[in-house]
């Protein structure tokens, strides 16, 4: 079976919500968005760009919209933009009619656990 690796920003106290901007994810009254922005530096950027060797990327729909919406707007000067655009992307969404705005994107419709399990089976078959 294939391996799925996770690349995630998480604070030491376990916060995984809204790391990029204050208004990124305010669900449940979350008011601390943007907590990771001050920690980005060239070392972090270099590491993220080096991780671009993945065969594919897996996103939830909200993360897909937000991450690709931001990184494709900053221009080609950032190496991560090219990686995001050119790497195959799989997007889990409960809605079968979800529109995917970025190239090389495939919808995994239905419940995420089953959709991702099916994807793993296809990649390892």
């Amino acid at each position: 079976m294939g391996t799925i690796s996770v690349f995630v920003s998480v604070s030491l106290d376990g916060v995984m919500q809204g790391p990029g901007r204050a208004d990124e994810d305010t669900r449940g009254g979350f008011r601390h968005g943007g907590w990771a922005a001050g920690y980005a530096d060239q070392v972090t950027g270099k590491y993220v760009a080096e991780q671009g060797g993945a065969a594919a990327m897996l996103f939830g729909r909200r993360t897909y919209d937000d991450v690709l919406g931001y990184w494709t707007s900053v221009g080609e000067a950032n190496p991560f933009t090219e990686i995001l655009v050119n790497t195959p992307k799989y997007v889990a969404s409960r809605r079968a009619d979800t529109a995917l705005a970025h190239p090389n994107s495939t919808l995994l419709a239905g419940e995420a656990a089953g959709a991702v399990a099916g994807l793993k089976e296809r990649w390892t078959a």
Side-chain angles (χ1 to χ4, degrees):
M1 191 158 274
T3 299
I4 295 177
S5 299
V6 176
F7 181 84
V8 64
S9 295
V10 61
S11 68
L12 291 175
D13 60 352
V15 175
M16 294 177 63
Q17 186 176 10
R21 313 181 305 280
D23 66 344
E24 183 174 343
D25 185 355
T26 58
R27 288 178 293 174
F30 187 73
R31 297 172 306 185
H32 305 287
W35 59 267
Y39 299 103
D41 59 18
Q42 288 188 344
V43 173
T44 305
K46 182 176 184 275
Y47 176 79
V48 170
E50 288 170 354
Q51 301 312 303
M57 295 181 180
L58 174 64
F59 294 94
R61 195 249 340 137
R62 287 179 61 103
T63 302
Y64 169 84
D65 288 342
D66 202 55
V67 168
L68 275 98
Y70 173 77
W71 285 105
T72 58
S73 73
V74 298
E76 296 177 12
N78 187 299
F80 196 52
T81 300
E82 183 178 346
I83 291 166
L84 277 172
V85 169
N86 294 325
T87 301
K89 293 165 284 299
Y90 294 90
V91 183
S93 176
R94 289 185 185 97
R95 297 182 55 141
D97 63 346
T98 298
L100 302 177
H102 304 284
N104 302 315
S105 299
T106 301
L107 179 63
L108 302 175
E111 289 300 315
V116 172
L119 176 64
K120 283 183 71 172
E121 291 297 326
R122 287 195 309 264
W123 269 76
T124 57

